[in-house]
Amino acid sequence: WEQRKLNEVVNIIDGDRGKNYPHESDFYNHGDTLFLDTGNVRKNGFNFQTLKYITKYKDSQLQKGKLKIHDFVLTSRGTLGNLAYYDKDDHGQFPSVRINSAMLILRPILNNMVSNSFLESVFRGRIIDLFMKKDHVGSAQPHITKRDFSRVVINIPVNKNEQSSIGLLLKSVNDL
């Protein structure tokens, strides 16, 4: 096994918070790009019961926060630590998805060296809970800073097959 800082394993990406951030009048019941809110990201993954969309034009105005297959979404303001994994099935259903400003994208950068199932088991383990207990910022509205979260150290087996086996085993336990 080896120890790595989180920012060596995933890119941590904020949602766009700029002047083009959508206002309530920019949301629709259907459209081109699904715009996630914290209700869509739960402890055990995505919840797509309530959806809001933005237009293709509004989507093009935003710079950060667009999901790609194999991204993890972490709630980072208010409701802390909920996690969802954007897989091929989600992409098939929702090919264009953006996070809101209360979320972070954790985008794997070592796909050929680190198993996504293992990463998911790490993220669903105690690592996020422990980090939040000791390192979240704010009392009125607690939040996770990208900078501090990127310094979290995780232990990873060097062998990717071992990672996959561990990830699949822990997913089975979690599903049970």
Side-chain angles (χ1 to χ4, degrees), residues 107-170:
R107 181 167 292 154
I109 55 178
L110 299 174
N111 280 336
N112 59 337
M113 295 174 60
V114 179
S115 157
N116 287 331
S117 64
F118 179 77
L119 276 180
E120 186 170 11
S121 69
V122 168
F123 294 146
R124 292 201 185 283
R126 297 200 48 200
I127 195 161
I128 292 173
D129 291 336
L130 292 172
F131 171 80
M132 290 184 309
K133 284 180 184 169
K134 132 182 136 159
D135 290 309
H136 78 270
V137 178
S139 54
Q141 171 132 23
H143 60 278
I144 297 170
T145 66
K146 178 178 153 180
R147 185 193 68 212
D148 292 342
F149 193 56
S150 70
R151 296 180 187 150
V152 169
V153 175
I154 60 174
N155 295 309
I156 302 174
V158 175
N159 183 299
K160 190 171 179 181
N161 290 333
E162 183 179 357
Q163 295 169 22
S164 295
S165 296
I166 292 168
L168 293 173
L169 174 68
L170 293 175

Side-chain angles (χ1 to χ4, degrees), residues 45-112:
F46 285 116
N47 177 334
F48 294 123
Q49 288 183 339
T50 304
L51 304 176
K52 59 185 180 181
Y53 292 87
I54 57 175
T55 64
K56 188 178 282 191
Y57 174 72
K58 188 56 152 176
D59 178 54
S60 72
Q61 291 181 310
L62 301 171
Q63 296 186 20
K64 299 186 301 180
K66 187 105 176 206
L67 291 184
K68 293 182 179 180
I69 296 173
H70 304 300
D71 282 349
F72 295 91
V73 178
L74 176 69
T75 56
S76 60
R77 289 188 182 280
T79 302
L80 297 178
N82 287 352
L83 182 82
Y85 178 65
Y86 184 68
D87 61 17
K88 290 179 183 177
D89 291 338
D90 296 324
H91 178 74
Q93 189 175 3
F94 305 103
S96 181
V97 181
R98 281 201 177 271
I99 62 170
N100 74 13
S101 62
M103 299 175 188
L104 296 171
I105 295 173
L106 308 177
R107 181 167 292 154
I109 55 178
L110 299 174
N111 280 336
N112 59 337

